[in-house]
Amino acid sequence: MASQKLFFLLLSSLAIVQMALAGDPDIISDFIVPSNLSIVDGSFFTFTGMRALIGAAPPPAFKVLKASMVEFPALNGQSVSYAVLQFPSGTTNPPHTHPRSAELLFLIDGSLQVGFVDTTNKLFTQTLQAGDMFIFPKGLVHFQYNPDAQNPALAVSAFGSANAGTVSLPNTLFTTGIDDTILAIAFKTDAATIEALKAGLAPKP
């Protein structure tokens, strides 16, 4: 009996350790080189994609510029990535989640209304001014909105994963082919309303 208890205690301890270490896996080298790359120099560790921001006019709609391992392969194994978020007046980054990382947002310019919902369905909101930071806990639904009718907003988000992932709730629910009846029951509405929502989110020709 004592040995069985010890076994279960060990198993529980291992499970807790694994949860604590959850995230990008550790690597056993300094960095990971893609198999199609034979020569590595300083350019491999340099990302120039953000140069497009310098001197550019504000975009007409909400825009994200990412530096994740998809765009910047040197990040693979480094457990870090960034995104630059551009908010024209009155635009929003719709409710979404990042399944593999928390998000630390730094507001560079303008103002934003931000918030997230925890697993008890409690909403936490805040109005941010330039220079403020806000943390969105890992995996929780969150959003950002620029309510200013005159001025854009600019923010930078840091992630503790090279590939944090993004699950957009509007797109996930209404553009992936989930049956109208299922969604109508879930949202306590009718199929016609669901179809109207799907039509609004459909790509414009």
Side-chain angles (χ1 to χ4, degrees):
M1 180 64 74
S3 60
Q4 190 176 28
K5 284 183 178 179
L6 183 62
F7 174 74
F8 283 117
L9 180 62
L10 180 61
L11 253 166
S12 301
S13 301
L14 286 172
I16 291 168
V17 168
Q18 286 304 310
M19 285 189 288
L21 296 176
D24 289 2
D26 285 334
I27 59 176
I28 56 173
S29 58
D30 295 332
F31 49 86
I32 298 174
V33 180
S35 58
N36 62 347
L37 199 63
S38 56
I39 299 176
V40 174
D41 56 19
S43 62
F44 174 68
F45 303 98
T46 305
F47 181 69
T48 60
M50 299 301 178
R51 290 181 183 177
L53 293 166
I54 308 302
F62 170 70
K63 185 177 181 181
V64 181
L65 283 178
K66 295 181 180 180
S68 71
M69 63 178 282
V70 175
E71 299 81 14
F72 189 10
L75 296 183
N76 189 12
Q78 303 302 320
S79 299
V80 67
S81 58
Y82 275 89
V84 175
L85 314 176
Q86 296 175 278
F87 297 86
S89 299
T91 59
T92 185
N93 186 3
H96 61 282
T97 71
H98 301 294
R100 292 181 286 276
S101 176
E103 174 181 356
L104 181 61
L105 180 142
F106 173 54
L107 184 59
I108 295 173
D109 191 31
S111 63
L112 284 178
Q113 290 181 4
V114 301
F116 68 87
V117 179
D118 72 7
T119 55
T120 68
N121 286 328
K122 182 177 180 181
L123 173 64
F124 297 82
T125 62
Q126 185 66 37
T127 298
L128 304 181
Q129 303 299 325
D132 293 346
M133 300 180 81
F134 192 87
I135 183 72
F136 302 100
K138 178 180 177 179
L140 298 185
V141 174
H142 61 280
F143 61 88
Q144 300 106 18
Y145 169 57
N146 177 13
D148 194 316
Q150 303 296 326
N151 301 302
L154 180 68
V156 174
S157 285
F159 302 92
S161 168
N163 186 17
T166 300
V167 180
S168 167
L169 269 63
N171 288 336
T172 299
L173 292 171
F174 299 109
T175 68
T176 55
I178 299 176
D179 187 85
D180 290 354
T181 302
I182 295 171
L183 291 172
I185 293 171
F187 286 94
K188 295 179 173 56
T189 185
D190 53 49
T193 301
I194 298 300
E195 288 172 5
L197 288 168
K198 287 184 173 181
L201 289 166
K204 301 296 186 288

